[in-house]
Amino acid sequence: MSCKQTVSREEYRRLDNRVTCILQQRWPVNEISQWVGMLKDKQQAMACAILRRRHPRPASLALPAIATEVPIPFQARSNLPTVPVLTADGRSVGRRHIVDGLTPVAIDQSGTIRCAVTGRTLFIAPGSATDRANPGAAAQLNPTYQPALHQAVADHRQHVEAGE
């Protein structure tokens, strides 16, 4: 079996999520080994690499004797760019990985959307304090906002049930 296997980001994500679930549910060692045995070729190699890295006692799993490390460009989460996530009042609550090619944005209580990196306003919520302070700015700015190009890393809007 070749060690130079390529894997799609989605395929890796699915396997990584499955291993996460298995580990969180504390599957017995023999069941994990059986699950790995049902996988084929590169999926099996990937699952083994993920389990060797994340299982507390990987030697107890009796994983198939395949390449110990499968080169996966998506496995090193620490190399992914992150952005700080702030509460509505500006306190830091950690960092969030950002999706390549999407601009990370934060949505404030009023619904105004700003870039999480630069703070630049990208969309002004109608009726918000920003809208009232800058008459006409929303009409000029909002048509240029493209939600598909952005990743919401913080959403501080009040989610209120609509009354009937």
Side-chain angles (χ1 to χ4, degrees):
M1 178 175 287
S2 170
C3 186
K4 296 272 188 208
Q5 298 182 29
T6 58
V7 150
S8 74
R9 184 181 303 259
E10 187 56 37
E11 192 174 6
Y12 176 78
R13 187 177 296 130
R14 271 197 308 268
L15 266 173
D16 189 57
N17 287 343
R18 186 66 185 134
V19 168
T20 299
C21 290
I22 287 169
L23 294 176
Q24 285 175 342
Q25 294 169 3
R26 301 189 188 283
W27 280 24
V29 172
N30 62 328
E31 289 183 23
I32 294 174
S33 297
Q34 288 174 3
W35 174 73
V36 170
M38 292 188 310
L39 299 173
K40 300 289 180 217
D41 302 325
K42 102 177 138 176
Q43 281 195 336
Q44 188 178 62
M46 293 271 310
C48 288
I50 294 168
L51 282 164
R52 282 189 180 100
R53 199 174 61 249
R54 300 199 26 225
H55 193 274
R57 292 180 315 281
S60 67
L61 294 175
L63 296 172
I66 53 177
T68 312
E69 289 301 318
V70 177
I72 309 161
F74 312 117
Q75 75 183 19
R77 289 179 180 245
S78 60
N79 292 341
L80 293 175
T82 61
V83 66
V85 178
L86 307 175
T87 61
D89 60 358
R91 292 176 309 188
S92 176
V93 290
R95 298 189 71 80
R96 175 122 181 241
H97 290 286
I98 55 176
V99 176
D100 192 32
L102 298 181
T103 302
V105 297
I107 306 170
D108 69 16
Q109 296 96 330
S110 68
T112 294
I113 301 171
R114 290 183 175 80
C115 175
V117 176
T118 64
R120 184 172 152 244
T121 301
L122 302 171
F123 177 88
I124 300 172
S128 68
T130 307
D131 187 32
R132 291 190 306 270
N134 302 286
Q140 186 178 6
L141 182 65
N142 291 358
T144 64
Y145 178 68
Q146 297 177 334
L149 300 179
H150 299 92
Q151 171 195 8
V153 294
D155 188 342
H156 301 294
R157 291 175 290 184
Q158 299 295 327
H159 297 286
V160 179
E161 297 287 326
E164 309 222 37

